[in-house]
Every structure is written in structure tokens, then in C-alpha cells.
Amino acid sequence: GLDPKSGAESFRPPPEVEAYFAELDRVGRATAVTTEWWQRLLREDCRHGGGWVRDWPVHAKHPEVTEGYVHRDIAPLHYVMGRLSPMYIERAFSKDFKRATWAVYFGPYCSNGDQQIGVGNGGAISAVLDLVTANLATLHVRGKT
């Protein structure tokens, strides 16, 4: 059986499930690339000398380290940003650690629809807002929680 005290590798999903989420990420990335407001933020504010940083720190104690952050990999068991997250997320934060902007692609199981895709479910939206708030607060205090 699965030991809940062991590492994330004990809970790796089957290849078919990983393929499903890889496709969700592919569609999410493609959507982010064509989303004008997100691309404008990346182009105008996240370039060198801008007031924002693209991606997200690997750890709040070291906000300068953003290389290596990979959605689904850094926190594989986390509901919102882990392996089985029903959404794809790209993020940016202000260099003063007071603001964050996230581009979130909600997959089909974040829907309020019953037989068709509907608007984003309140639970999915609140889960994202909860994580944005927690991440930004932790980053603002540099991981001193």
C-alpha cells in the first residue's frame, strides 16, 4: 500500500494520467501565449529593468532564484500547483514583493458545468486565491513564517 509518510514518488500517477496533465499544460501554455494582457505584462514589466519578475521563486527565502521553478514539479502533492492540479499556472511578482499576477488556465474539471464546460467553479477560484495570498505573504516576509 501507499505510505502517507513517504515521499511524493510513492504517489506518482500512472503514465496515462501524467499524459492527461501534460496535455492540459500544453493547452494552458498555448492559451497563455495568446493572452494579450499576460503577454503585455511579460513584455513590458518583466524584462530586465522592469518592476516585475516572471515565474516564481523556488523558495520564499531566496526570491532571486526563479530558475528551476516548474509547475507541477516543485510541490508535486499540492492541490493547486502539484502533479494533479486541474489547472495550469504561470506567475509573476513585483520586485517589492507586494503584488503578484497569475495567468491561470482552468481545465475542464474546474468547471461549474454539469454536462458541458461552464464558468470557473468557486472552489477552484478560491483555491487559487488562497494560494496567491499565501505565496505572496510568504514572499513578502521572505519565508519567515
Side-chain angles (χ1 to χ4, degrees):
L2 297 176
D3 179 2
K5 294 181 181 178
S6 61
E9 287 307 305
S10 298
F11 301 99
R12 184 168 284 286
E16 299 82 9
V17 174
E18 288 184 337
Y20 170 84
F21 287 103
E23 177 61 13
L24 188 147
D25 289 352
R26 186 193 68 73
V27 173
R29 270 191 299 281
T31 302
V33 165
T34 62
T35 302
E36 183 187 335
W37 67 265
W38 179 243
Q39 292 306 312
R40 187 177 339 103
L41 176 89
L42 298 178
R43 189 174 53 251
E44 296 175 7
D45 297 329
C46 292
R47 287 192 170 177
H48 297 295
W52 289 73
V53 178
R54 183 179 184 166
D55 293 323
W56 204 254
V58 173
H59 194 282
K61 290 182 180 179
H62 305 285
E64 68 283 359
V65 180
T66 57
E67 285 189 34
Y69 179 87
V70 179
H71 178 62
R72 299 195 191 283
D73 290 350
I74 292 296
L77 297 180
H78 194 278
Y79 174 73
V80 177
M81 60 185 186
R83 284 184 189 137
L84 301 181
S85 170
M87 54 203 79
Y88 171 77
I89 303 169
E90 293 189 11
R91 310 187 275 192
F93 63 96
S94 62
K95 290 180 180 177
D96 64 3
F97 310 120
K98 293 181 179 179
R99 296 169 291 158
T101 300
W102 289 22
V104 181
Y105 174 81
F106 282 175
Y109 295 101
C110 291
S111 171
N112 258 348
D114 48 14
Q115 298 296 318
Q116 298 180 39
I117 300 293
V119 299
N121 178 275
I125 294 167
S126 66
V128 169
L129 292 176
D130 175 69
L131 185 60
V132 169
T133 303
N135 281 181
L136 192 56
T138 303
L139 184 60
H140 185 68
V141 298
R142 300 278 182 111
K144 297 174 188 161
T145 59

